[in-house]
Amino acid sequence: MLPRCARIPHILMPQKGVDLSKWSVVACDQYTSEPAYWEAVEALVGSAPSTLRLTLPEIYLESPDCQARIDAIHQTMRQYISGGLLTALPAGVVLLARDTGGACPRCGLMLAFDLEDYEYTPGSSSPIRPTEKTVVERIPPRLKVREGAAIELPHIMLLIDDPSRSIIEPLYQNRTAFQPLYDVELMQDGGHLTGWLIPEGEQTDALLSALDRLADPVVFAEKYGLTDAYPVLPYAVGDGNHSMATAKAYWDQLKPTLSAAERANHPARFVLAEVVNIQDESIQIEGIHRVLFQVDAIDLLASAAAFFQSKGARAEVLETVPRQLPEGAQEFPFRAGTRTGCLVVQNSPWALPVATLQAFLDDYAANHAQMRMDYIHGLDVLDKLSGQVGCMGFALPDPAKEDLFRGVILDGVLPRKTFSMGESREKRFYMEAKAISPDLLA
């Protein structure tokens, strides 16, 4: 059994009387091409206390006043703390439910996680791993926000794979037994957010034990039908990986300046995250399709056959999508102008279809500089774009929920833009905070 990754946090919440509908704003990495969204948020918040003043919307990362915004964030953090606007709850876990108008709310748990158990480099065997590749160039500008910060408000979502729904869901069923924390309608069509505090005690002990069982090697191997030994993966980063990677980079930077005793319990070593069961009924996993511009479809398909042959696989181009595939084969329906068909790959060395296709497209793009690739939601948009002259689109299936974990286990991190978990308005809204400076714990 691996060391325990999760910890019971001391969460900071705004004092009573703060308007939580203005306090809570969407994750900073959303609406990055829509300044009107953030202008509307500014107007809604006005001068009220808000997480808008504690985070940097990434639409402003390249703005001339970026450093001034960061300085203001650090100052506001200290003002909110010294003025008593942010206060610490008793040690405990926050159970939350997010309703965005679907069939049921998404349930989650706010816990702290040891950054020593997380690694984002390719080939990592850590118990907390990203689902998709981390772009290390995105870390430094985000690190500037964390350096000098007294608290964190991360938008990280960690996925667990609990098909029996035995960990989070029973707590939600018993939610009336816990202390209500918030019940708020979120701005900008963000839905409704409700939270309850589960104080540290018998129930949180049972929760941590249940999470520990996800890392049991026998349970892990049986769940995914593994006959070879693979590093266990109890947690996969579903959203906010660059936020978590930034927290890791800051901790790695801070660690050499600390004594062994200080390193053991320093608050910056632990990052706050929402834990969600990927099997939650509210979570819809959608595939993201590929469209190629300035491409010769005949040349690309011929190159696909040669590429997959070199990998010990076999690619075949069919004029129609087959009704039945050979066992283990992967299919990629395509359109290129007026031509339609299906690329079928047998004996692929990659577990997920998206990994198979992306491996080839990356190889092809490296030798065809004029080609541009984009990632598309929705078959209607894909069909419209790929019907244009010089364009080609490949439709990808929606990944099975269990295949996301299996893909990371067998293939390593998944290709970029493998899947989507909801629209921007459904992403995490900031609510809870946690200290990352030991001065606040005195």
Side-chain angles (χ1 to χ4, degrees), residues 87-354:
T87 56
L89 299 176
V93 175
V94 174
L95 167 70
L96 60 91
R98 175 76 177 280
D99 189 347
T100 54
C104 59
R106 184 188 76 222
C107 298
L109 295 170
M110 295 302 297
L111 284 157
F113 287 86
D114 191 343
L115 288 165
E116 292 291 314
D117 294 323
Y118 162 75
E119 187 55 67
Y120 55 81
T121 53
S124 166
S125 59
S126 59
I128 307 174
R129 274 171 263 163
T131 50
E132 297 184 355
K133 182 180 178 181
T134 304
V135 182
V136 293
E137 293 79 11
R138 293 182 62 184
I139 296 174
R142 291 154 183 80
L143 189 57
K144 291 180 181 178
V145 181
R146 199 167 183 89
E147 291 170 340
I151 60 175
E152 64 171 6
L153 294 99
H155 54 267
I156 300 162
M157 184 183 293
L158 294 186
L159 301 174
I160 60 172
D161 186 8
D162 177 25
S164 63
R165 299 176 186 168
S166 61
I167 299 176
I168 300 175
E169 289 77 2
L171 293 171
Y172 179 70
Q173 293 301 319
N174 194 38
R175 61 192 179 278
T176 56
F178 307 129
Q179 174 190 340
L181 274 185
Y182 47 77
D183 190 346
V184 58
E185 194 72 17
L186 300 171
M187 65 173 69
Q188 298 280 77
D189 197 28
H192 199 88
L193 184 64
T194 314
W196 303 263
L197 178 66
I198 307 175
E200 187 172 26
E202 289 185 9
Q203 285 185 298
T204 60
D205 289 344
L207 166 64
L208 293 179
S209 295
L211 291 171
D212 287 345
R213 283 193 289 275
L214 296 173
D216 183 296
V218 175
V219 174
F220 174 77
E222 288 179 354
K223 183 191 299 185
Y224 300 109
L226 305 173
T227 54
D228 297 328
Y230 287 89
V232 298
L233 181 66
Y235 303 100
V237 186
D239 265 337
N241 183 58
H242 288 91
S243 178
M244 192 153 186
T246 301
K248 173 74 168 181
Y250 178 66
W251 171 239
D252 286 345
Q253 179 177 289
L254 185 64
K255 196 165 43 171
T257 70
L258 304 173
S259 67
E262 289 171 327
R263 286 196 295 269
N265 292 297
H266 195 285
R269 174 173 170 165
F270 304 94
V271 68
L272 199 62
E274 178 185 351
V275 180
V276 175
N277 183 10
I278 197 172
Q279 303 293 345
D280 189 304
E281 290 182 16
S282 71
I283 293 181
Q284 300 298 314
I285 304 295
E286 298 179 351
I288 302 177
H289 313 299
R290 271 57 174 166
V291 63
L292 313 172
F293 301 91
Q294 297 183 37
V295 66
D296 182 329
I298 294 175
D299 179 72
L300 183 138
L301 292 171
S303 297
F307 173 83
F308 287 114
Q309 184 177 10
S310 73
K311 303 298 180 182
R314 177 172 175 264
E316 183 180 7
V317 178
L318 305 179
E319 296 308 310
T320 59
V321 178
R323 292 185 178 181
Q324 188 171 357
L325 287 171
E327 185 177 352
Q330 300 170 357
E331 64 176 5
F332 305 98
F334 67 80
R335 179 175 183 180
T338 59
R339 180 184 179 184
T340 59
C342 186
L343 175 67
V344 177
V345 179
Q346 298 184 54
N347 301 318
S348 170
W350 293 278
L352 294 189
V354 64

Side-chain angles (χ1 to χ4, degrees), residues 386-439:
S386 58
Q388 299 173 7
V389 175
C391 298
M392 185 173 190
F394 285 96
L396 282 159
D398 294 340
K401 290 182 174 183
E402 56 273 19
D403 281 350
L404 291 182
F405 272 75
R406 184 177 288 110
V408 175
I409 293 162
L410 298 179
D411 293 341
V413 293
L414 304 176
R416 60 192 178 279
K417 303 294 185 181
T418 292
F419 65 96
S420 172
M421 289 199 311
E423 303 171 11
S424 288
R425 70 179 187 88
E426 298 171 313
K427 300 297 184 179
R428 267 199 57 81
F429 270 59
Y430 299 114
M431 179 63 79
E432 300 87 354
K434 185 184 78 67
I436 57 174
S437 169
D439 296 340

